Amino acid sequence: MTAPTLAYLFRETRLNLDPTSPTSTIRFKLPRSSSFSQARSRHVQKQIINTADEDLDQNEQGFAEHHLANDASVFFRRESSSPRCISWRLLGSRTVLQLQVVDLTQKKGAEQEIKYTLRFCFPAAIRPFGIAFAELEEQDAFNIFALTVEKELYTLTIHKNSFISQSATDGRLGDWCKIYTHPALAYRLPYRIFAVNHQELLISLHDGGILRLEQVVKDGGWIWKDFIYAPGEGGWGASIRGLIPWREHTTAQFDDISLEPTTSAAISASPEGNHLFTVSLNYMLRIRDHKTGEVCAQVDLLSQEDTEIRSNTRQLMGPYQRSLLQIVKPEFVRDGDVYYVVTYLPKDHQFKFWGVRDPGEAVNGIYDVHPTLKLVPPIDQLLDTSVWNLEEFYLRPKPLLQSTELWIRARVGATSQVFCLKFSLFDDDDFLQMTWNSDWMAVDGGSMGTSTLKSMPQYPSLEAVTSFAYHADNISENALDFIFYPDRFTFATIESALYRYRTGLALPSSKAQYPLEPSKVPLKQRVCEAVAAKVSLRLDSSGERGGTDYGAYHTKVAEQWIMFASLIVELHRRRTEILSLAFDETIGLPWISLADFISPIRRCNEIETLQLNAEVLSHGEEALAAGPLVRSLQDRESVLVGCFLSAASVFRQQLPAPVKYSISTLASVEAFQDPFLTLNKRIENFYDRCALAEQITDDQHSALLGSFDTIGGTTELNNDLFRRALGRLDSDTEGHEHDLSLMAYGERALMRGAQETYESGYDVLIDLLVLAVVMAMEFDENDLPNNFVPSEIFVEIMNRLREYELLRYLASTTRMEPPPKERHSTLSRSHRSSDAIHRRAEEQHLPTVTLLWSIFIGDWKNISVPQGPDIPTSSLLTYWIRNWALGPDLTGNYDEIVEDIMGNLLVHKDFDLAANFVPFLSSSPWPMYLKARLSLEQGRLAEAARAFKKAGFGLSRISKNKSPPGAEPMKDVETWDHQELLAPHEVHYFNEGNAGSYYQHIADLFERTRPQAWTYVAEFSRMALWHFDQKRFMRKEADVDDLDVIDRKKSEANHHRESQSFRRSTGSDKYTQRSPLGLRNSLPGNDESDMDVEVKYEGDDSLENSRMLIDYSLAELGAIKDYEAKQESVNRLFTALIKTAKWEKAYSTLVRFEKPDLRTSQLKYLIQNLLSPTSLALNPAAPSLLLRLPFSASPNGDLSPLADATLLDLARNPPASTSTSFSAYLESDTSATPPPRTRNGSSGSSSGDSKYWHILYAFRISRSDFRGAAYALWEWLARLRTSSSSSSRRVSASGPREEEISRVFLLLINVLACVEPEQAWLLAEGQGSKRPPAAAGFAGPGLGFGLKGKVGAAERRILTLEDVRGEYATWLDRVAAVEQGRFAFVGGDRDGDGDVSML
């Protein structure tokens, strides 16, 4: 007999069961029955578990207890309930029951955020087959019945809010937990429990009896009422024999219990609820009355031959069989039938289908639908084994049992495989038998299987070291990419493998190495440090010249990664053990529960079907029967495409691993490289760089040619065949809108499916690329069809490859999902660092998601649902995945989508991810601007400046977009910036037709983003001013009126309108009125008064005049806008030049300030910064530079008086001396409020005081203002003498202060000697004078000294040159007297020689 063809048409979608956040698991500690009476009135003992801390440094045993389930399945609630799908798992030696909501979708408008995972800790282990679930009818809740090894029955009532709100479980324990102990269970041991509904429970006993428990209301609550059904054979006598061990008594051993042959292994209630169907260990199907337990009918499931064998050997089925019985009631049944019963016989793996007409009739109430058929799944042939066991089955009935689906889970050794068969029960025997023999469909394990993971190119292997393309960094990066691929391995798996790795290498644990919050150290960092701990570079002693042995280093690095990856994969293998199969009848979706996964089963898409069945398709269409594989394809042409793809895949897989790695790497580079070669040259270049000529053997070449025989030979390899294969990568959109929203596990399933879709599509593209290149370079022209043009196929494949590279990057790159406020913020509105956002995200336990999910998950709601009745979710899930994953129209909008992604990364401050994303961007203006923004944020200022300049022309040109009538014209940048990277006011800097506004925006960016980038602020401000000047020049060349002309014309138009009104009212044709100017009067330099206007008009042209007024107003607004933009750039340029110490250029910029008050303030700002302590410390020649500035020759008039006043203010109020560094100076605001002054009016030291007096003196001397210099020297002298007299130090003629006073006296005498004798005098004001500070050539400083130096004199005094000389002589005499000790210590005469105050 020919082995049946197995078609892989379904695929697992394995999803990790880790909680939504590290702190979303609630643990409940349940009491024993002995202490329940005291605990029931108390609040439940619960605790929030931090799974991140729990998983840290967890050994293999701890990992198994916390994460690997002993038993698991999914409980499906009724259709109206939400949530519906509850995954339950037994952990920790069956003492912990964990519940999680695994719904994929929920109805729109009734969305609920499921947050919590529930863990119930029992004091004793739950028995095998000792747990059951039932839905409550009057509440949105369900019951859990759990029977422990201590024979305590727990009833837990779980409300839906328990998964939503933590407070929902804050009540008393007795409100939702009941514990019951039946006395009969002490000697009649329980085997299995079955829940009929939330009020009725059936317990199969070891002696063949059945304990029925029913809830009855009592005292405002409920209690269990018990009924015991006698065994099916022998009555109570058999039951008594079961309690006493008899010799030669055949039993089945179940743990520590000996089960009687009549023990019920399966119990199910009939649809109407009046009967119970049971299957016992001795293969007897019995129908009992539900109320009394009496046996109404029984059927021997074994054949006549088997019955005779049983009577001799007393054969029993295994007690661990999970599924034996199912009752189905399809929508329509055959005449006479009520419902149907499906039984499975483990002895010969046979299914029996029974029609039930009258379950209460013993003879004809039930019949075998196909008594002559032996319906056995051909698992032995499908899996090539002789020993196997069917663990579970589920029959999904359809009307009249047509196209009914049978799902089974078969186990061979340690592995399980799920199969599906679609058949019609009432087909004739021959056709039904043929269907059972040949139409089985298999479920592929998906991309998370251990063998699949080891076959991935990123999996660490020693073979990778031999590749010329690999180095230590490549090996480590590939290993990290493999290990930390999103949702591939849980953090608990990696943590446990890391602990085992550290232990094996005698390295300290994470807690020992990082004693302070080790869980806050990134896991990837800890892995890298552990792997590198035992690897070091060594010298190569074998070589003649010595040197570093990099080859050995690379090998050791690879060995460590191989060791660590193998530990992870081994733990992962334990996670993939299949535990159960469940079917959601409501939506038609099968589920597989694994040790640490939950897996909805979806139908394969076209590409996956062709890839999984490549071996079958490689034999050609003639070798295929009209089975499920052919029926699942789009059309018969898919068989041809499948053969073609199979040949291409087999050919590439035969190449060495280094060559395959090189092909993938070079293909990615080629896809994003700007083409500068011809297409044929690009193909040849790719062929040479991949070294395909050296790697393809003659045998491989011949095998490739032979593989195309099934499709008609190489002459059929035309462009059309390639395009048909590429067309299978597209998704078809059809149907209507849906009313569903995704839940957490729906998003995970969507993401897992998208990743698998991208990988399968990428493999197809690489296979076709290699085939096309080899065909173009190695095939004989005679072997190729005329319509094969490799250059066209090469371009199409490269375009597709570019799209898939982008999608694969998005699906493999993760970031912390920003909170809503961060997701909608823009770079211009928030300047918080990326690290701060990530730290806050960790504190809030924000999820780490892929970029694909983060950016595009919102598109799922727009996916349409295919038309058609009763489409199962297993097919809808594949449709959703494919349409969402391939939903972005990359073919037509690639650049736009890529730019949006880059903008999203910049807005959310994911700068590292944005840097990796740069290769996907083009070189057009907006992407270039995005690159520049990234470089600016990362501190690469020169690179940012170059990119900003490249983007300038395209972003400043006038927009060509056409807006709807009446709407404001939309700028190009508004169509590009969908992520709101630009603030609303920043949009107006773009598409103005002049680059001045654009460069003004760039200067603003440098100023705000990088405080030390003043050089670039000045550069771009200067560029902006140049363009503004060019714009003004072009306006003049084009006879476009400037602001003055526009203002005058607008005034004339206003007079014209008023005169028209006057003429109509008075009949006069002349009008005279003083009329103010327009908006121009608010601008600087406009001191004109109102004007008398007298005009004479003829005719009435009011409409035309109104239009002129509107045009003039618009022109005036535009001119004012240009003026304000220009002044802003002038101000920014001036500030930048000050910050960069470009003093002469800054002074030359002053003339561009048109407002006098602003010009005055900026001049003071310039002088203050030029002479600031930091500037003087960095540039001692700054005073000389000040003296060279042409204050008198300024186009805005003589600025010397203003400069003089500023210097005088600095001298009188010097800034405090600082040791500020140059970088701090650049970041400081030197125009800030000066520091507080001391008592004598000075805010700095005497050295700082003298410095500024020196500068003021030099400034006045340089402008031949000798008397002004004299006034400055006299005030300086007075301050020095005041500070000297108040000092407590000992006076010495050689002291610095005395020497400085003497030097100032000499300067003052010298200055007064330089003027005419009649001008050699000073007017010294008294201390009480209220006169303003003196300017050059006017009143002198306010001093408190007369001719003899008395303090406190309020009168004004004239000091001549002789007076000053006398003062100097008196000063010298007193200094000499003090040095000789001739002064009074206490109470001396203040006018005497010992007057110390005069010093």
Side-chain angles (χ1 to χ4, degrees):
M1 182 178 177
T2 305
T5 300
L6 182 61
Y8 283 88
L9 302 182
F10 296 91
R11 197 169 197 184
E12 294 183 35
T13 308
R14 295 183 179 178
L15 311 176
N16 292 323
L17 283 167
D18 44 350
T20 56
S21 73
T23 58
S24 62
T25 301
I26 306 178
R27 179 170 59 193
F28 302 88
K29 186 176 181 180
L30 303 179
R32 299 180 182 272
S33 59
S34 58
S35 59
F36 181 70
S37 58
Q38 292 83 14
R40 63 185 302 172
S41 59
R42 302 174 185 170
H43 287 280
V44 63
Q45 298 183 27
K46 69 176 183 179
Q47 177 186 3
I48 298 293
I49 303 174
N50 191 325
T51 54
D53 295 336
E54 183 183 66
D55 297 334
L56 190 67
D57 285 345
Q58 187 171 238
N59 57 24
E60 194 170 354
Q61 181 180 357
F63 174 78
E65 291 181 355
H66 289 99
H67 299 282
L68 300 183
N70 307 108
D71 195 4
S73 188
V74 183
F75 168 62
F76 305 106
R77 303 175 64 196
R78 57 176 174 261
E79 184 177 3
S80 59
S81 300
S82 180
R84 284 191 56 255
C85 306
I86 310 298
S87 170
W88 62 268
R89 308 165 68 216
L90 293 181
L91 304 169
S93 301
R94 305 181 67 88
T95 58
V96 178
L97 172 63
Q98 178 171 293
L99 303 180
Q100 282 181 281
V101 175
V102 294
D103 291 65
L104 301 181
T105 60
Q106 58 184 337
K107 291 289 185 181
K108 287 183 180 178
E111 290 87 353
Q112 303 172 96
E113 183 181 2
I114 304 300
K115 298 180 180 179
Y116 295 103
T117 297
L118 308 182
R119 284 186 186 177
F120 299 94
C121 300
F122 290 81
I126 298 176
R127 301 182 63 87
F129 305 112
I131 190 168
F133 293 75
E135 179 87 358
L136 270 67
E137 295 179 358
E138 299 179 355
Q139 302 181 41
D140 195 355
F142 60 93
N143 276 351
I144 303 175
F145 305 104
L147 184 62
T148 67
V149 294
E150 296 182 352
K151 305 179 184 63
E152 295 178 332
L153 177 63
Y154 287 78
T155 304
L156 308 179
T157 302
I158 309 300
H159 195 274
K160 74 167 187 177
N161 291 334
S162 301
F163 300 99
I164 301 174
S165 173
Q166 183 182 348
S167 60
T169 56
D170 288 343
R172 295 178 303 173
L173 177 64
D175 294 340
W176 55 271
C177 177
K178 300 289 190 298
I179 305 178
Y180 174 72
T181 303
H182 196 281
L185 296 181
Y187 55 90
R188 305 188 70 178
L189 306 180
Y191 169 39
R192 301 194 188 199
I193 67 174
F194 305 90
V196 178
N197 52 54
H198 71 284
Q199 293 180 329
E200 185 176 355
L201 191 67
L202 302 175
I203 302 178
S204 174
L205 304 176
H206 84 288
D207 59 357
I210 298 175
L211 174 61
R212 174 172 169 255
L213 297 177
E214 183 178 359
Q215 294 180 8
V216 294
V217 178
K218 182 178 181 181
D219 298 334
W222 58 267
I223 61 173
W224 287 112
K225 181 180 181 182
D226 61 319
F227 305 88
I228 297 181
Y229 297 159
E233 295 180 358
W236 286 108
S239 177
I240 296 175
R241 285 195 304 269
L243 301 176
I244 303 173
W246 294 83
R247 183 178 297 179
E248 297 182 358
H249 183 62
T250 303
T251 59
Q253 197 66 27
F254 179 74
D255 288 348
D256 57 345
I257 304 175
S258 297
L259 302 177
E260 291 294 321
T262 58
T263 301
S264 298
I267 304 176
S268 182
S270 61
E272 81 282 356
N274 296 329
H275 296 85
L276 296 177
F277 287 75
T278 66
V279 175
S280 57
L281 296 178
N282 60 357
Y283 292 93
M284 295 298 295
L285 173 64
R286 295 184 175 88
I287 305 176
R288 294 176 179 266
D289 184 272
H290 196 167
K291 298 299 182 181
T292 63
E294 295 180 357
V295 177
C296 302
Q298 65 180 11
V299 178
D300 193 344
L301 299 178
L302 296 178
S303 62
Q304 184 66 29
E305 296 79 7
D306 294 333
T307 303
E308 294 176 358
I309 296 175
R310 178 177 61 185
S311 61
N312 297 327
T313 61
R314 298 175 182 177
Q315 186 178 18
L316 303 179
M317 68 176 64
Y320 291 94
Q321 184 67 39
R322 297 179 67 94
S323 297
L324 292 168
L325 171 70
Q326 182 182 350
I327 300 176
V328 296
K329 186 175 182 180
E331 186 176 354
F332 301 104
V333 296
R334 197 162 64 172
D335 292 344
D337 298 339
V338 181
Y339 47 85
Y340 300 92
V341 177
V342 185
T343 59
Y344 171 70
L345 284 63
K347 177 181 178 298
D348 52 6
H349 309 298
Q350 182 181 1
F351 280 91
K352 300 289 287 184
F353 295 87
W354 307 89
V356 179
R357 293 173 175 170
D358 185 359
E361 185 178 348
V363 180
N364 298 320
I366 185 172
Y367 70 97
D368 190 348
V369 177
H370 291 283
T372 61
L373 291 183
K374 194 170 185 179
L375 301 177
V376 178
I379 305 299
D380 49 351
Q381 301 177 48
L382 297 175
L383 298 181
D384 192 19
T385 182
S386 58
V387 179
W388 62 278
N389 182 46
L390 190 143
E391 298 281 329
E392 293 170 293
F393 73 88
Y394 184 86
L395 186 76
R396 187 192 185 198
K398 293 295 182 67
L400 290 175
L401 294 181
Q402 301 293 317
S403 299
T404 295
E405 294 179 4
L406 176 64
W407 293 83
I408 64 173
R409 180 172 70 89
R411 178 176 293 276
V412 179
T415 62
S416 290
Q417 179 77 53
V418 178
F419 300 89
C420 177
L421 176 68
K422 183 175 288 189
F423 66 98
S424 297
L425 182 61
F426 297 108
D427 286 342
D428 61 79
D429 290 357
D430 293 338
F431 187 81
L432 182 60
Q433 189 69 63
M434 182 182 66
T435 301
W436 272 72
N437 293 336
S438 60
D439 281 5
W440 286 92
M441 299 169 285
V443 178
D444 178 67
S447 61
M448 300 298 289
T450 304
S451 59
T452 304
L453 294 177
K454 289 184 177 180
S455 65
M456 291 181 175
Q458 296 87 0
Y459 183 76
S461 63
L462 286 176
E463 186 181 13
V465 185
T466 63
S467 173
F468 63 87
Y470 274 83
H471 299 290
D473 292 340
N474 298 105
I475 296 171
S476 299
E477 288 177 4
N478 278 350
L480 290 173
D481 291 342
F482 171 79
I483 294 171
F484 289 95
Y485 188 84
D487 296 330
R488 176 171 290 164
F489 304 114
T490 61
F491 282 171
T493 305
I494 303 176
E495 287 279 12
S496 182
L498 178 60
Y499 178 79
R500 187 176 175 184
Y501 178 82
R502 286 179 175 275
T503 304
L505 296 181
L507 296 174
S509 64
S510 296
K511 293 180 180 178
Q513 186 172 359
Y514 312 99
L516 299 177
E517 296 185 340
S519 61
K520 296 298 179 65
V521 181
L523 179 57
K524 185 179 292 188
Q525 174 184 336
R526 290 187 277 125
V527 168
C528 291
E529 292 176 355
V531 170
K534 292 295 184 179
V535 182
S536 60
L537 276 172
R538 299 179 180 274
L539 296 179
D540 186 4
S541 59
S542 61
E544 296 180 358
R545 295 181 298 176
T548 305
D549 190 357
Y550 288 101
Y553 174 71
H554 296 163
T555 303
K556 290 181 180 179
V557 170
E559 289 175 350
Q560 295 301 315
W561 282 116
I562 292 171
M563 184 188 308
F564 184 67
S566 63
L567 293 176
I568 295 178
V569 173
E570 174 59 25
L571 288 176
H572 180 79
R573 182 193 60 78
R574 298 181 62 184
R575 298 177 61 220
T576 59
E577 180 185 358
I578 297 179
L579 301 179
S580 69
L581 169 69
F583 197 93
D584 189 351
E585 179 65 36
T586 302
I587 60 176
L589 181 65
W591 292 76
I592 295 178
S593 295
L594 300 92
D596 196 22
F597 284 102
I598 189 70
S599 177
I601 297 177
R602 62 177 178 86
R603 196 169 187 88
C604 294
N605 58 49
E606 180 85 355
I607 287 295
E608 291 171 336
T609 301
L610 297 178
Q611 289 177 328
L612 295 176
N613 300 279
E615 184 178 357
V616 177
L617 294 172
S618 63
H619 299 296
E621 186 176 359
E622 292 76 10
L624 289 175
L629 176 58
V630 176
R631 293 193 296 267
S632 67
L633 300 176
Q634 292 182 10
D635 46 44
R636 303 291 294 186
E637 192 178 74
S638 295
V639 178
L640 178 66
V641 174
C643 297
F644 174 59
L645 293 178
S646 175
S649 176
V650 171
F651 175 70
R652 184 173 71 92
Q653 295 304 323
Q654 292 175 349
L655 298 175
V659 178
K660 290 189 288 186
Y661 175 81
S662 299
I663 290 173
S664 300
T665 303
L666 295 174
S668 300
V669 173
E670 184 69 26
F672 293 100
Q673 190 174 21
D674 291 333
F676 58 91
L677 299 174
T678 63
L679 290 175
N680 292 330
K681 193 65 178 178
R682 289 174 64 188
I683 295 175
E684 181 181 351
N685 187 43
F686 183 81
Y687 177 80
D688 294 337
R689 294 178 67 187
C690 294
L692 292 176
E694 295 80 6
Q695 299 297 332
I696 300 176
T697 64
D698 294 338
D699 293 340
Q700 291 174 343
H701 189 275
S702 301
L704 177 62
L705 292 175
S707 63
F708 296 122
D709 292 341
T710 56
I711 61 175
T714 56
T715 57
E716 299 295 328
L717 302 179
N718 50 35
N719 284 16
D720 182 60
L721 182 58
F722 275 90
R723 291 191 177 101
R724 279 182 285 174
L726 292 174
R728 295 304 190 274
L729 298 175
D730 297 329
S731 61
D732 298 327
T733 302
E734 57 178 337
H736 54 86
E737 296 182 358
H738 60 81
D739 59 346
L740 301 174
S741 61
L742 284 175
M743 298 185 71
Y745 276 84
E747 295 170 352
R748 295 186 184 186
L750 211 62
M751 194 65 241
R752 174 73 71 209
Q755 291 170 340
E756 295 174 347
T757 299
Y758 298 150
E759 293 303 321
S760 60
Y762 178 80
D763 289 340
V764 169
L765 291 173
I766 296 297
D767 292 341
L768 294 179
L769 176 63
V770 173
L771 179 60
V773 171
V774 171
M775 288 174 60
M777 300 302 300
E778 294 197 4
F779 278 28
D780 193 322
E781 293 183 0
N782 298 327
D783 295 334
L784 295 175
N786 295 330
N787 55 352
F788 173 67
V789 184
S791 58
E792 295 180 2
I793 296 301
F794 185 81
V795 170
E796 292 184 24
I797 293 177
M798 280 300 169
N799 290 337
R800 294 264 189 163
L801 194 60
R802 181 182 64 166
E803 299 170 6
Y804 269 80
E805 285 285 1
L806 170 63
L807 295 173
R808 292 176 71 223
Y809 174 82
L810 296 177
S812 61
T813 306
T814 61
R815 72 174 177 186
M816 282 192 176
E817 178 64 9
K821 291 184 179 179
E822 294 293 342
R823 295 187 67 179
H824 297 287
S825 64
T826 64
L827 191 62
S828 59
R829 299 177 187 136
S830 174
H831 304 287
R832 294 181 291 272
S833 67
S834 177
D835 294 338
I837 291 178
H838 288 176
R839 284 195 299 269
R840 183 171 63 258
E842 292 177 356
E843 294 172 359
Q844 297 177 356
H845 304 298
L846 297 174
T848 300
V849 298
T850 64
L851 289 180
L852 184 71
W853 185 97
S854 179
I855 299 174
F856 294 102
I857 191 62
D859 296 344
W860 183 85
K861 61 184 179 182
N862 300 322
I863 295 177
S864 57
V865 179
Q867 300 282 359
D870 195 22
I871 299 178
T873 303
S874 57
S875 298
L876 281 179
L877 182 57
T878 302
Y879 177 85
W880 289 335
I881 289 172
R882 193 164 177 78
N883 278 270
W884 177 73
L886 303 176
D889 184 15
L890 292 176
T891 303
N893 303 304
Y894 177 85
D895 290 336
E896 181 181 351
I897 292 175
V898 168
E899 293 161 10
D900 281 351
I901 296 171
M902 186 66 174
N904 183 280
L905 296 177
L906 292 177
V907 168
H908 295 142
K909 303 188 182 300
D910 294 310
F911 301 128
D912 292 337
L913 298 180
N916 296 332
F917 193 76
V918 166
F920 294 98
L921 296 173
S922 66
S923 299
S924 55
W926 180 246
M928 189 62 64
Y929 175 83
L930 296 177
K931 295 177 187 178
R933 289 290 293 263
L934 173 63
S935 300
L936 179 61
E937 291 292 346
Q938 293 187 323
R940 294 179 276 113
L941 304 183
E943 183 179 337
R946 288 193 298 269
F948 279 130
K949 292 175 184 177
K950 291 180 181 179
F953 175 77
L955 295 180
S956 58
R957 62 181 177 83
I958 297 178
S959 175
K960 296 181 180 180
N961 289 324
K962 296 181 179 180
S963 301
E968 182 180 354
M970 181 179 291
K971 296 177 179 292
D972 286 334
V973 71
E974 292 180 279
T975 64
W976 298 327
D977 185 24
H978 298 140
Q979 300 297 326
E980 297 182 357
L981 177 64
L982 301 174
H985 72 277
E986 292 177 319
V987 174
H988 300 290
Y989 290 113
F990 295 81
N991 307 126
E992 289 291 318
N994 182 272
S997 299
Y998 169 77
Y999 290 122
Q1000 182 184 11
H1001 164 66
I1002 302 304
D1004 178 64
L1005 282 180
F1006 274 100
E1007 182 180 4
R1008 289 188 291 109
T1009 308
R1010 291 289 167 179
Q1012 297 182 3
W1014 291 107
T1015 300
Y1016 297 98
V1017 174
E1019 179 182 0
F1020 283 100
S1021 297
R1022 191 178 296 111
M1023 295 173 66
L1025 284 175
W1026 186 88
H1027 283 280
F1028 284 137
D1029 291 340
Q1030 287 294 110
K1031 182 178 180 180
R1032 186 174 183 179
F1033 174 78
M1034 294 175 64
R1035 287 170 61 91
K1036 290 182 178 180
E1037 289 291 323
D1039 293 332
V1040 178
D1041 297 333
D1042 59 8
L1043 188 59
D1044 294 331
V1045 177
I1046 294 172
D1047 202 15
R1048 185 176 66 254
K1049 289 184 176 180
K1050 184 180 177 183
S1051 298
E1052 293 175 355
N1054 277 321
H1055 298 324
H1056 186 183
R1057 182 182 58 182
E1058 294 176 2
S1059 66
Q1060 289 284 354
S1061 177
F1062 178 79
R1063 183 177 60 84
R1064 284 193 297 267
S1065 61
T1066 63
S1068 174
D1069 59 352
K1070 292 185 178 181
Y1071 175 69
T1072 303
Q1073 182 179 346
R1074 293 178 59 84
S1075 176
L1077 296 176
L1079 293 177
R1080 172 70 163 60
N1081 59 4
S1082 63
L1083 298 180
N1086 180 53
D1087 298 328
E1088 296 91 340
S1089 60
D1090 297 345
M1091 298 182 297
D1092 290 337
V1093 181
E1094 181 175 323
V1095 291
K1096 179 178 180 181
Y1097 296 103
E1098 296 180 0
D1100 189 358
D1101 53 354
S1102 59
L1103 180 60
E1104 181 180 356
N1105 186 68
S1106 299
R1107 290 175 179 172
M1108 291 174 58
L1109 278 174
I1110 294 175
D1111 293 340
Y1112 291 152
S1113 298
L1114 293 176
E1116 186 178 27
L1117 289 174
I1120 292 176
K1121 178 182 177 182
D1122 293 342
Y1123 166 80
E1124 293 176 347
K1126 180 179 178 180
Q1127 289 302 298
E1128 181 182 347
S1129 294
V1130 171
N1131 188 48
R1132 185 175 286 113
L1133 173 61
F1134 180 79
T1135 304
L1137 293 173
I1138 293 293
K1139 294 292 186 180
T1140 54
K1142 307 295 184 186
W1143 308 110
E1144 293 175 321
K1145 293 182 179 180
Y1147 178 78
S1148 64
T1149 309
L1150 275 175
V1151 301
R1152 305 186 72 122
F1153 288 105
E1154 298 186 14
K1155 291 185 177 181
D1157 54 345
L1158 181 60
R1159 187 166 55 249
T1160 300
S1161 64
Q1162 295 294 45
L1163 177 60
K1164 295 178 62 177
Y1165 181 69
L1166 168 64
I1167 296 175
Q1168 290 171 355
N1169 282 272
L1170 175 60
L1171 302 180
S1172 65
T1174 303
S1175 176
L1176 293 174
L1178 295 173
N1179 183 17
S1184 300
L1185 176 62
L1186 175 68
L1187 300 180
R1188 293 198 304 269
L1189 295 179
F1191 293 103
S1192 301
S1194 172
N1196 302 104
D1198 188 6
L1199 300 179
S1200 298
L1202 179 60
D1204 186 276
T1206 303
L1207 291 174
L1208 179 61
D1209 183 68
L1210 278 175
R1212 290 175 174 173
N1213 307 298
S1217 299
T1218 61
S1219 58
T1220 307
S1221 64
F1222 185 66
S1223 61
Y1225 164 71
L1226 292 179
E1227 298 180 11
S1228 65
D1229 184 5
T1230 54
S1231 62
T1233 304
R1237 302 168 186 151
T1238 57
R1239 183 181 57 182
N1240 64 351
S1242 174
S1243 61
S1245 63
S1246 63
S1247 61
D1249 211 333
S1250 301
K1251 182 189 329 179
Y1252 292 107
W1253 287 110
H1254 266 296
I1255 296 171
L1256 177 61
Y1257 164 76
F1259 181 81
R1260 292 181 176 179
I1261 289 295
S1262 66
R1263 281 152 178 77
S1264 301
D1265 183 9
F1266 298 102
R1267 291 194 64 203
Y1271 277 115
L1273 291 173
W1274 181 254
E1275 185 173 350
W1276 180 13
L1277 178 63
R1279 290 173 180 265
L1280 288 174
R1281 295 169 71 182
T1282 302
S1283 62
S1284 176
S1285 63
S1286 61
S1287 174
S1288 62
R1289 63 179 177 83
R1290 180 176 177 81
V1291 179
S1292 173
S1294 60
R1297 181 59 56 84
E1298 286 69 28
E1299 291 181 357
E1300 187 173 7
I1301 293 175
S1302 299
R1303 186 165 53 253
V1304 175
F1305 263 121
L1306 293 175
L1307 288 174
L1308 179 58
I1309 293 171
N1310 185 49
V1311 169
L1312 290 178
C1314 293
V1315 298
E1316 295 294 332
E1318 61 272 12
Q1319 297 294 328
W1321 56 272
L1322 296 175
L1323 181 61
E1325 296 187 8
Q1327 189 175 15
S1329 175
K1330 301 298 182 180
R1331 297 176 60 85
F1338 295 96
L1343 299 176
F1345 304 97
L1347 293 178
K1348 292 186 177 182
K1350 288 183 177 290
V1351 180
E1355 66 276 7
R1356 300 172 64 189
R1357 309 177 66 86
I1358 295 178
L1359 299 176
T1360 63
L1361 176 59
E1362 296 302 325
D1363 294 332
V1364 175
R1365 286 173 177 169
E1367 289 284 342
Y1368 180 49
T1370 304
W1371 166 261
L1372 292 178
D1373 292 342
R1374 289 174 179 174
V1375 169
V1378 170
E1379 285 186 335
Q1380 297 173 7
R1382 294 184 293 106
F1383 55 89
F1385 287 96
V1386 179
D1389 184 7
R1390 298 185 63 84
D1391 290 334
D1393 293 337
D1395 190 356
V1396 182
S1397 65
M1398 292 300 299
L1399 303 180

